[in-house]
Amino acid sequence: MGYLINQVDVLTLLHNQMGHRVAPGGTDDDLKRYVQEGFNYCWRYYKWGWSLQCGSSDVNGLLPEDFDLDGYSTIDQDTYTIVWDSAQSRLKLDPVAEIDFTYQIAPPTLGTDAAGSAPFPSAIVVAEAAIIWSKLAENPTRADITQEWDTLHSHLDRLAGRSYNNKPRRPVHYLDAAGTYVGDVGE
């Protein structure tokens, strides 16, 4: 993953998409919240390679601090329930167990400088998500976001497809020892 985005990148695109003629400046705390919510949605949309980690619960069943409850994980939901441990202020497994699993880390908070950058392949897709949140905030019961929602998911699907295509694959062998192939109809 070679592309990092930050809040300034997304805010600039968001202002352009919203038709603002003046460059971003001043206090736009609402737009910053919409950008972060849009980024959180895009981050959790797919199990991006850079957002996954391998981890394990400790002997008390506590999950890693960066575990994202709303994100992807390989924890078997039929066997374990994830509960809040108020004494430790962390999520933990019930029943308590020490297991290894893959999980999606919580989305980072986008900052305004290089230190606040996060990996994501497209700042414009995050800006599209922020537009949806801003329209919902203006009129939550009457906002018609159908077209924007479909466009956002189309772009996220395209990015997810590119991410999936870049994964290394093991070779597939179609011929078996007798020289036939899968789907071959014998005589």
Side-chain angles (χ1 to χ4, degrees):
M1 179 73 221
Y3 192 67
L4 296 174
I5 64 171
N6 63 30
Q7 195 178 69
V8 174
D9 299 333
V10 180
L11 277 173
T12 302
L13 291 166
L14 179 61
H15 279 274
N16 291 341
Q17 287 180 332
M18 295 177 95
H20 296 172
R21 294 176 188 249
V22 180
T27 59
D28 47 3
D29 292 335
D30 287 340
L31 292 179
K32 290 177 182 177
R33 281 197 319 273
Y34 304 147
V35 164
Q36 187 61 47
E37 285 304 315
F39 177 71
N40 292 350
Y41 183 82
C42 294
W43 181 272
R44 292 177 176 130
Y45 183 78
Y46 178 72
K47 50 184 181 184
W48 311 102
W50 64 85
S51 70
L52 298 178
Q53 278 192 333
C54 294
S56 59
S57 58
D58 66 9
V59 293
N60 297 321
L62 293 173
L63 298 175
E65 289 185 22
D66 60 353
F67 181 85
D68 185 15
L69 184 60
D70 295 327
Y72 168 81
S73 77
T74 58
I75 296 174
D76 184 8
Q77 299 291 326
D78 294 332
T79 307
Y80 302 102
T81 306
I82 299 172
V83 296
W84 181 255
D85 184 347
S86 56
Q88 298 289 327
S89 296
R90 298 237 319 258
L91 295 169
K92 77 178 212 177
L93 296 176
D94 183 32
V96 172
E98 190 173 357
I99 63 168
D100 295 327
F101 56 91
T102 302
Y103 67 99
Q104 192 166 26
I105 62 174
T109 302
L110 292 176
T112 57
D113 57 2
S117 296
F120 200 77
S122 176
I124 198 160
V125 171
V126 176
E128 288 173 353
I131 286 175
I132 292 171
W133 264 260
S134 71
K135 285 187 175 186
L136 287 172
E138 287 175 10
N139 191 353
T141 59
R142 297 272 210 198
D144 183 15
I145 57 166
T146 309
Q147 185 175 359
E148 290 87 353
W149 194 251
D150 291 344
T151 301
L152 172 66
H153 284 100
S154 173
H155 291 157
L156 283 169
D157 289 341
R158 180 179 49 83
L159 293 175
R162 285 183 180 170
S163 178
Y164 181 76
N165 285 339
N166 289 333
K167 290 182 181 176
R169 294 185 183 46
R170 63 183 193 112
V172 178
H173 300 285
Y174 292 104
L175 298 176
D176 67 10
T180 61
Y181 57 91
V182 175
D184 189 15
V185 180
E187 296 182 43

